[in-house]
């Protein structure tokens, strides 16, 4: 029977450390601040943003929410980002994606100061990640690496297969696994014989966005299975891209949905915000 990787518990432990750090800083009159910009009325985005705000406040950081209507112009949004770039009380800026179609996400991300890029989406952060320089790591991939390390199993030399090639998860997590000296394969919807490719993985990261897509035939006995999916099953119940009940007895370790990768994402955002604040203060002192 596979061991469950308890993302909720691991996230809570890291969050407790961040909270302590923030408390010490506040005693010195310094408070890290995160600004989240939400455009429009996407209900899923609204829920994500509310959770980010709650957790930011829970660790004692300043949390600012800027809500803009669906009809906001690109120019206005870019000006909002510029204002936050110059706001000394804000150390991290996150513009919730997706944005309305009339706004270029690339332009918005390019405008966020790379010093405050706590999502790790700015091209400078992405480039630094690619060449192995210290930078802000995108939150979900960073959380995934923490979860894999929490098993105590080494990553070095292992065969890792990442299913999914998005800029937010698939590509950066593959890069991080490579830095940990895994042998990495990126598979995707066009990969031939995906099941066979996946079944050879010692570490399998699934971020394809299809409910219960991975069955036990696609999983190697004793492997580490990380499920990034946030899907709904036939009963509208939250589930992952991995068919948990089918796979759990075959995997060595597995993340549940909910309670696996999800809680780590916001925790890494808080860690990035704390780091951004420290770096900015170091520079200005
Ligand atoms: N939309 C879904 N996930 C994310 C994320 O991690 N960051 C931002 N900015 N938007 C998202």
């Amino acid at each position: 029977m596979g061991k469950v990787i308890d993302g909720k518990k691991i996230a809570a432990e890291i969050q407790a450390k961040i909270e302590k750090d923030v408390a010490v800083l506040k005693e010195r009159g310094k408070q890290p601040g995160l600004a989240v910009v939400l455009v429009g009325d996407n209900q899923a985005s609204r829920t994500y943003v509310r959770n980010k705000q709650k957790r930011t406040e829970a660790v004692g950081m300043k949390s600012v929410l800027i809500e803009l209507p669906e009809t906001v112009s690109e120019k206005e949004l870019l000006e909002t980002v510029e204002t936050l770039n110059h706001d000394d009380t804000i150390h991290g800026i996150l513009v919730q994606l997706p944005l309305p179609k009339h706004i270029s996400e690339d332009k918005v991300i390019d405008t966020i100061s790379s010093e405050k890029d706590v999502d790790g989406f700015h091209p400078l952060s992405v480039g630094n990640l690619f060449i192995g320089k210290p930078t802000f790591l995108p939150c979900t991939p960073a959380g995934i690496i923490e979860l894999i390390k929490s098993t105590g199993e080494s990553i070095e030399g292992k065969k890792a297969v990442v299913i999914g090639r998005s800029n937010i998860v698939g590509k950066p997590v593959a890069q991080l696994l490579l830095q940990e000296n895994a042998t990495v394969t990126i598979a995707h919807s066009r990969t031939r014989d995906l099941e066979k490719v996946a079944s050879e993985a010692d570490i399998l990261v699934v971020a394809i966005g299809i409910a219960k897509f991975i069955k036990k035939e696609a999983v190697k006995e004793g492997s580490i299975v990380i499920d990034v999916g946030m899907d709904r099953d036939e009963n509208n119940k939250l589930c992952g891209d991995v068919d948990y009940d089918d796979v759990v007895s075959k995997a060595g370790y597995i993340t549940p949905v909910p309670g696996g990768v999800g809680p780590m994402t916001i925790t890494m955002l808080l860690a990035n915000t704390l780091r951004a604040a420290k770096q900015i203060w170091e520079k200005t002192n």
Side-chain angles (χ1 to χ4, degrees), residues 48 52 94-98 119 121 168 265:
Y48 290 140
K52 284 171 187 170
L94 182 149
V95 179
Q96 187 68 24
L97 305 178
D119 253 334
F121 292 170
I168 294 184
T265 297

Side-chain angles (χ1 to χ4, degrees), residues 221-250:
E221 188 89 42
S223 60
I224 300 174
V225 178
I226 305 289
D227 188 352
V228 190
M230 279 282 249
D231 314 306
R232 296 272 167 188
D233 69 8
E234 57 284 2
N235 302 314
N236 205 34
K237 206 174 138 224
L238 198 60
C239 71
D241 293 351
V242 175
D243 188 337
Y244 184 91
D245 293 335
D246 196 46
V247 166
V248 67
S249 57
K250 198 169 181 191

Side-chain angles (χ1 to χ4, degrees), residues 27-232:
E27 275 172 25
R28 297 188 209 139
K30 290 178 179 289
Q31 185 183 32
L34 172 69
V36 176
V37 181
L38 175 64
V39 180
D41 225 11
N42 180 320
Q43 278 316 304
S45 289
R46 198 161 279 280
T47 306
Y48 290 140
V49 164
R50 199 180 314 124
N51 287 336
K52 284 171 187 170
Q53 264 199 301
K54 257 199 240 163
R55 299 262 298 272
T56 307
E57 284 163 15
V59 295
M61 292 185 190
K62 171 177 163 148
S63 165
V64 174
L65 172 64
I66 296 170
E67 288 185 83
L68 299 169
E70 184 85 17
T71 52
V72 72
S73 69
E74 184 179 275
K75 184 166 171 280
E76 271 175 279
L77 178 55
L78 294 178
E79 282 166 5
T80 303
V81 171
E82 281 293 2
T83 304
L84 293 169
N85 283 343
H86 294 103
D87 185 335
D88 292 340
T89 70
I90 296 298
H91 309 94
I93 302 170
L94 182 149
V95 179
Q96 187 68 24
L97 305 178
L99 291 170
K101 287 204 171 54
H102 65 278
I103 297 174
S104 157
E105 288 186 353
D106 284 347
K107 258 194 210 168
V108 174
I109 291 169
D110 286 356
T111 304
I112 296 172
S113 159
S114 62
E115 290 185 346
K116 300 188 178 184
D117 176 36
V118 287
D119 253 334
F121 292 170
H122 192 282
L124 207 61
S125 306
V126 177
N128 280 331
L129 168 62
F130 203 80
I131 56 176
K133 275 199 191 168
T135 188
F136 291 114
L137 302 179
C139 302
T140 301
I144 290 169
I145 298 297
E146 291 293 325
L147 291 177
I148 296 170
K149 287 185 173 171
S150 79
T151 64
E153 301 276 331
S154 82
I155 299 175
E156 183 158 322
K158 296 264 169 70
K159 182 155 191 192
V161 173
V162 177
I163 308 181
R165 53 177 161 179
S166 71
N167 291 335
I168 294 184
V169 181
K171 284 182 206 160
V173 83
Q175 196 60 41
L176 289 174
L177 286 162
L178 181 62
Q179 275 174 25
E180 297 289 341
N181 298 315
T183 302
V184 185
T185 301
I186 305 180
H188 45 80
S189 56
R190 312 266 176 94
T191 296
R192 250 184 256 158
D193 208 353
L194 187 60
E195 188 177 287
K196 180 170 181 290
V197 173
S199 70
E200 290 168 358
D202 303 306
I203 299 168
L204 181 63
V205 179
V206 191
I208 199 167
I210 303 172
K212 300 186 182 178
F213 179 75
I214 293 292
K215 311 282 183 197
K216 64 173 180 298
E217 292 74 21
V219 171
K220 182 176 172 179
E221 188 89 42
S223 60
I224 300 174
V225 178
I226 305 289
D227 188 352
V228 190
M230 279 282 249
D231 314 306
R232 296 272 167 188

